[in-house]
Amino acid sequence: MSLQRLYSRMAMNSFVVLGRVGMDLYADPPGTQIEAAGRFTAAIGGSAGNIAVALARQGAKATLLTRVSQDAVGRYCLAELGRYGVATGHVGFARAEARTSLAVVETIAEGPQTVLYRNDAADFALTEADVAAVDFSMVAALVVTGTALAREPSRAACFAAIAAARAAGAIVVLDIDHRAYSWASDAQAGALYRDAAASADIVIGNDDEFGLMAGDYAKGQALAQALATSGALVSIYKRGGEGAVSYTADAAFETGIFKVTAQKPMGAGDGFMGGFLAGLARGHMLEAAVARGAATAAIIVAGVGCAPASPDTAALDAFLQSYS
């Protein structure tokens, strides 16, 4: 598949995002530590949920493929996704004892505390049968968030989704999205990320995640570059405050960050993914789309919450104009 084929497929502007959605409880007002909080504000979270919201906010058709708990928290996530314009027809309910992820977090720029509850996580109950119900023929891209590879039956569902998307001609995007607490070992995680990356057209991760995949932090960037010359169309190596390096088979370019007053570090990666893919879908070339991803990330870390801070297209365009 060529970059021109990538641009052509992305113009379909329809995405399926596979992975977790959850409830985030933010200590309120911003700047309050969890142990000192008298109240909390709720928002949806989870990498796949946040990516889907970012896509929908920027004019894409976004469908979430996951499972949630059959309780008030699961219903809250479904309702919030709907309010943001994310399609939930492929969000199923897990068995009664499973639970949707819950995160208790702080809106603090440096060293925020996060308390995460993912015991018997509902999203890991996703099955190959759930995937079989998805028609990928009119989908621009499948986005797989790597945490979904950490447990069965979700792991098998991920690979089934990748195979079905490829068979239908859709772009396969891997967000490495490593969360060590979900995995039996780093070695297992690295091996499965490599397996998924081998079938992906776009691979996005940070320096630690590519280092994990390579088995050595020092070799992570070389792996990112190698992926773009051995199968993937695009490989994006994120370096935090130093920006990102994007690789294709015959080129590489660097993208800086947009400096903002951050209220929190969370949500940047999800926003980057959503803004980048939405940019491609709107007809922007690769370099401009990466810049839109970086700008989306900056806006989100400067706001409260992840989904609530996600910009629409007009806000993103105005932000970019202010930097031009």
Side-chain angles (χ1 to χ4, degrees):
M1 184 183 290
S2 66
L3 281 178
Q4 189 54 51
R5 175 76 176 94
L6 168 70
Y7 294 137
S8 176
R9 187 76 185 199
M10 283 295 183
M12 295 171 68
N13 199 26
S14 176
F15 298 87
V16 172
V17 188
L18 189 161
R20 68 192 184 281
V21 66
M23 175 187 277
D24 290 348
L25 296 178
Y26 286 86
D28 191 55
T32 303
Q33 290 188 307
I34 291 170
E35 57 264 39
R39 63 180 185 267
F40 293 83
T41 58
I44 58 170
S47 58
N50 288 336
I51 291 168
V53 167
L55 284 164
R57 291 281 288 160
Q58 295 185 35
K61 180 182 178 183
T63 299
L64 192 63
L65 176 56
T66 192
R67 287 200 181 193
V68 295
S69 51
Q70 198 162 9
D71 57 22
V73 176
R75 292 191 294 274
Y76 167 84
C77 291
L78 281 170
E80 283 294 285
L81 288 166
R83 281 190 275 271
Y84 282 111
V86 176
T88 58
H90 292 290
V91 179
F93 287 112
R95 65 190 188 283
E97 65 271 23
R99 290 291 177 262
T100 299
S101 297
L102 176 67
V104 184
V105 295
E106 299 170 339
T107 305
I108 295 174
E110 298 292 335
Q113 300 179 97
T114 300
V115 182
L116 185 63
Y117 299 90
R118 276 185 61 74
N119 297 330
D120 200 12
D123 52 281
F124 283 144
L126 189 73
T127 68
E128 293 181 68
D130 297 323
V131 170
V134 181
D135 178 8
F136 286 101
S137 64
M138 297 304 294
V139 171
L142 165 71
V143 184
V144 173
T145 55
T147 299
L149 293 162
R151 293 282 188 277
E152 294 288 8
S154 177
R155 180 182 301 153
C158 285
F159 286 109
I162 290 170
R166 288 180 65 86
I171 304 299
V172 175
V173 183
L174 174 65
D175 179 357
I176 300 172
D177 183 42
H178 182 62
R179 300 292 183 269
Y181 52 74
S182 294
W183 290 89
S185 68
D186 285 351
Q188 181 197 46
L192 284 161
Y193 294 145
R194 290 192 298 273
D195 287 346
S199 297
D201 301 296
I202 299 174
V203 182
I204 301 180
N206 62 33
D207 48 359
D208 287 330
E209 290 168 337
F210 274 108
L212 176 68
M213 283 181 65
D216 182 343
Y217 179 88
K219 298 177 180 178
Q221 189 165 358
L223 173 61
Q225 184 173 14
L227 286 171
T229 59
S230 63
L233 295 173
V234 182
S235 180
I236 302 179
Y237 181 85
K238 297 183 294 185
R239 303 175 296 175
E242 296 180 14
V245 182
S246 300
Y247 295 101
T248 65
D250 53 9
F253 62 87
E254 295 190 16
T255 304
I257 65 167
F258 293 86
K259 293 184 179 180
V260 294
T261 301
Q263 294 210 59
K264 64 185 187 309
M266 294 85 73
D270 303 334
F272 180 95
M273 177 67 83
F276 166 63
L277 295 177
L280 289 175
R282 294 179 71 84
H284 294 283
M285 297 297 100
L286 187 60
E287 194 160 354
V290 173
R292 293 179 76 83
T296 302
I299 293 169
I300 289 175
V301 299
V304 178
C306 295
S310 195
D312 61 16
T313 304
L316 177 60
D317 288 342
F319 178 85
L320 287 164
Q321 184 64 33
S322 72
Y323 275 86
S324 63

